[in-house]
């Protein structure tokens, strides 16, 4: 099993080649290839590599499939005995990214 843990948009995400992930919106068009370079950890069948904090010369190549919006979250605030209520909603802008490969020092993993 080959995987990498990367940092993207303030979160740490476990990624594997051939799978897609919903990340916070990335400034790229649909179908565009992106390169994510903040790799914290790589594990393949032979070895484990841990970054300090990131691994040099490592990257994850992915393709932006489409942009979408996440599910709606309702925020309700209330102050008791004051008749003060507020109800808001939020939908996060997301990008669906297909991970094509994990690369380390020119070696495709």
């Amino acid at each position: 099993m080959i995987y990498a843990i990367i940092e993207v948009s303030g979160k740490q995400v476990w990624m594997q080649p051939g799978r897609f992930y919903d990340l916070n919106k990335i400034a790229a068009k649909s179908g565009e290839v992106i390169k994510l370079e903040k790799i914290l950890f790589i594990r393949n069948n032979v070895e484990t590599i841990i970054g300090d904090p990131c691994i040099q010369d490592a990257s994850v190549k992915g393709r932006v499939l489409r942009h979408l919006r996440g599910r709606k979250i309702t925020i309700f605030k209330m102050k008791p005995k004051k008749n003060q209520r507020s109800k808001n909603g939020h939908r996060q802008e997301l990008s669906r990214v297909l991970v094509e490969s994990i690369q380390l020092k020119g070696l495709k993993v």
Side-chain angles (χ1 to χ4, degrees):
M1 184 163 96
I2 300 165
Y3 65 90
I5 297 176
I6 69 164
E7 183 182 336
V8 60
S9 50
K11 297 178 184 175
Q12 293 179 5
V13 182
W14 173 312
M15 291 193 162
Q16 292 180 312
R19 294 190 178 188
F20 65 85
Y21 299 90
D22 290 335
L23 308 173
N24 285 344
K25 189 165 184 178
I26 297 172
K29 296 180 182 175
S30 294
E32 195 171 323
V33 175
I34 59 170
K35 191 175 182 182
L36 305 169
E37 296 182 334
K38 281 193 165 183
I39 314 299
L40 305 174
F41 181 89
I42 294 178
R43 167 91 174 152
N44 62 11
N45 296 333
V46 181
E47 61 182 333
T48 301
I49 303 160
I50 301 172
D52 185 25
C54 296
I55 301 170
Q56 300 296 322
D57 303 323
S59 64
V60 171
K61 188 174 123 182
R63 181 177 303 276
V64 178
L65 298 177
R66 67 184 179 122
H67 298 290
L68 60 140
R69 297 177 78 192
R71 65 180 195 81
K72 188 166 192 171
I73 297 171
T74 304
I75 298 103
F76 185 76
K77 297 178 183 177
M78 182 184 109
K79 293 196 176 177
K81 299 180 219 138
K82 304 293 183 198
N83 200 20
Q84 185 176 354
R85 292 172 177 84
S86 142
K87 182 178 177 182
N88 293 319
H90 177 76
R91 290 185 72 181
Q92 186 69 31
E93 298 287 332
L94 302 172
S95 294
R96 183 159 286 174
V97 176
L98 173 69
V99 176
E100 293 178 346
S101 66
I102 300 170
Q103 300 173 343
L104 175 63
K105 296 180 187 170
L107 175 70
K108 254 188 182 177
V109 182

